[in-house]
Amino acid sequence: MSREPNQQQQITQRKQDHIRAILEDPQVERHSDFEQIRLMHRALPEIDYAQVDTSCAFLGKKLRFPFLISSMTGGAAQNLQQINRHLAEAAENSQVAMAVGSQRTMIRNASAEESFKIRQYAPSIPLIANIGAVQLNYGFGVDEIRRAIDILQADAIYLHLNPLQEIIQPEGDSNFSALADKIARLAEQIEQPIILKEVGSGLSPQDIQLGLDAGIEWFDLAGHGGTSWSRIEAHRSDNDLGILLQDWGLSTSESLYLAQPFIPQAKLIASGGIRSGIDMLKSVVMGARLAGVAAPLLQPAMTSSEEVAAKIAQFHQEFTAGQFLLGIEKFADLHFNSDLILQSPWHSLSKKRSG
Ligand SMILES: Cc1cc2nc3c(=O)[nH]c(=O)nc-3n(C[C@H](O)[C@H](O)[C@H](O)COP(=O)(O)O)c2cc1C
């Protein structure tokens, strides 16, 4: 599957265009609906703030708190390599998980490989490799998937699902037919867990069911509410379809809500528009085991690993404060605990009156 040099340049250029769009167009960032979810404050939490334990486990490794650096980048260019190095060093220092951007670029292109050799900077944390699932319809198979895992010495691999992005992208790969079968066959042959992931439009119950039937256990919902890939690709397109569809999809909280019947068979990661430790907390209460953050880490990652670590520390402080104010000492009591969600009191009041 050797890629023509001009195709390689195109992929690298596309990555740079994506970064520019995120940094220069504030409307690429959409609005999440996490503020609509309210949690039950405890005035007598009956625990010591200093004893709040946010740690949890992911893929057999301990994390300081359920934070994942979501997939962003990688490629031949120097700045892409730097971003991944800064993210990896910060993930290791902060004891959180990290995923890389699509590794399609490095398949048989040695110059892009270097940016994905990040295990040296992050020896102890969970690392997630990443390939677009649609590439299984464009010549990729078990060898390419293994290669993506090996270069990272990854603990798992994302197969990202981005049908909206691919149809807006002028050079997109849009044949998504019969992918579930191919994913099922791959899952039988790959030792590491496969995680199905959207990129900002959310996974539906039907998607999760197809995934479970294919032998997949992990799902990153990556819903609407943060980075809009439809809008980003609209910048590179000659029409306005990407603008029209910039808010298409399930929000992260809608996707989480709809996925609840599949817990615990399905293990969920929430991402898309997670902008504070409180958004993370709400996701965990609603059933996510981990919450992923991408765009807020981009600018810090262009500067230094210290800047990335400082941003992660801010999320940790917010998460810990929220967990304390719910009166919860341990992560296990937080996860998928609907008692912590405040039901709107006004709703039952109006029912009483009409009843
Ligand atoms: C700069 C940037 C590059 C991204 N590249 C990829 C990618 O290559 N593969 C992928 O699966 N997701 C990619 N994503 C999507 C994120 O992993 C995530 O699913 C989505 O942006 C929602 O998270 P956010 O709202 O926190 O940004 C990228 C996101 C950003 C911000």
Side-chain angles (χ1 to χ4, degrees):
M1 186 158 330
S2 90
R3 301 244 165 225
E4 299 300 322
N6 62 350
Q7 192 179 6
Q8 285 303 338
Q9 281 159 12
Q10 196 184 48
I11 295 175
T12 304
Q13 185 55 47
R14 188 161 68 221
K15 284 276 165 202
Q16 306 283 20
D17 292 346
H18 290 162
I19 289 173
R20 194 170 322 111
I22 291 169
L23 296 177
E24 290 178 4
D25 175 5
Q27 290 194 62
V28 158
E29 170 81 12
R30 311 306 296 170
H31 291 289
S32 86
D33 50 10
F34 276 107
E35 76 275 9
Q36 287 175 27
I37 300 162
R38 314 253 348 261
L39 298 177
M40 184 65 82
H41 169 68
R42 291 296 308 277
L44 270 174
E46 296 282 75
I47 55 172
D48 177 356
Y49 185 44
Q51 298 301 318
V52 172
D53 179 4
T54 58
S55 68
C56 62
F58 177 52
L59 303 174
K61 294 180 175 172
K62 188 177 171 187
L63 301 184
R64 187 170 175 218
F65 72 129
F67 188 98
L68 164 74
I69 298 178
S70 284
S71 297
M72 273 194 278
T73 202
Q78 190 64 29
N79 65 328
L80 304 180
Q81 251 185 62
Q82 278 286 92
I83 289 174
N84 270 359
R85 179 178 178 160
H86 291 156
L87 291 172
E89 287 172 344
E92 179 70 25
N93 289 337
S94 314
Q95 226 194 324
V96 299
M98 173 181 169
V100 292
S102 174
Q103 292 171 260
R104 179 184 169 199
T105 177
M106 58 147 262
I107 299 298
R108 307 228 175 104
N109 174 18
S111 56
E113 275 184 357
E114 207 52 39
S115 67
F116 295 104
K117 291 184 181 167
I118 55 170
R119 185 52 92 186
Q120 55 186 317
Y121 310 119
S124 74
I125 52 137
L127 287 177
I128 309 177
N130 187 357
I131 292 280
V134 75
Q135 295 309 319
L136 300 175
N137 278 347
Y138 290 84
F140 278 34
V142 67
D143 291 345
E144 287 72 25
I145 301 297
R146 285 216 175 101
R147 187 150 173 60
I149 292 172
D150 289 348
I151 203 91
L152 224 77
Q153 296 172 44
D155 300 275
I157 183 160
Y158 269 139
L159 288 183
H160 69 259
L161 300 164
N162 59 343
L164 172 54
Q165 181 185 13
E166 295 286 356
I167 60 167
I168 306 299
Q169 208 172 79
E171 67 284 9
D173 294 327
S174 54
N175 176 12
F176 276 72
S177 56
L179 278 181
D181 273 355
K182 289 187 176 153
I183 292 169
R185 260 178 279 141
L186 209 58
E188 284 165 7
Q189 296 173 76
I190 299 287
E191 199 184 307
Q192 290 81 355
I194 290 174
I195 308 176
L196 287 187
K197 168 188 186 292
E198 238 288 347
V199 301
S201 302
L203 295 178
S204 69
Q206 292 88 336
D207 301 326
I208 293 175
Q209 188 61 61
L210 273 175
L212 287 170
D213 294 345
I216 305 298
E217 202 182 16
W218 281 94
F219 300 86
D220 186 334
L221 304 171
H224 174 258
T227 307
S228 168
W229 283 92
S230 188
R231 187 174 175 100
I232 289 174
E233 295 298 353
H235 286 290
R236 307 174 56 250
S237 159
D238 59 6
N239 63 60
D240 280 342
L241 186 61
I243 299 295
L244 180 78
L245 295 176
Q246 64 186 339
D247 292 317
W248 177 269
L250 300 170
S251 74
T252 301
S253 50
E254 285 166 345
S255 197
L256 259 173
Y257 174 74
L258 292 168
Q260 296 204 345
F262 300 100
I263 299 173
Q265 300 96 293
K267 296 178 175 163
L268 306 179
I269 300 173
S271 73
I274 305 271
R275 295 295 176 262
S276 72
I278 303 302
D279 293 344
M280 287 183 65
L281 193 73
K282 291 174 178 175
S283 301
V284 170
V285 166
M286 288 178 75
R289 287 168 183 258
L290 221 59
V293 176
L297 300 173
L298 178 60
Q299 184 76 66
M302 293 172 77
T303 314
S304 68
S305 55
E306 288 76 17
E307 296 268 323
V308 179
K311 192 78 190 160
I312 297 171
Q314 181 192 327
F315 274 80
H316 182 247
Q317 183 191 40
E318 294 160 356
F319 188 89
T320 311
Q323 186 173 326
F324 171 66
L325 294 171
L326 293 175
I328 299 288
E329 206 168 67
K330 295 211 175 317
F331 177 84
D333 296 327
L334 197 64
H335 178 246
F336 201 31
N337 183 352
S338 59
D339 290 348
L340 301 174
I341 298 174
L342 176 66
Q343 308 293 329
S344 163
W346 323 126
H347 180 71
S348 59
L349 198 69
S350 66
K351 265 210 288 202
K352 266 186 210 154
R353 189 152 179 232
S354 60

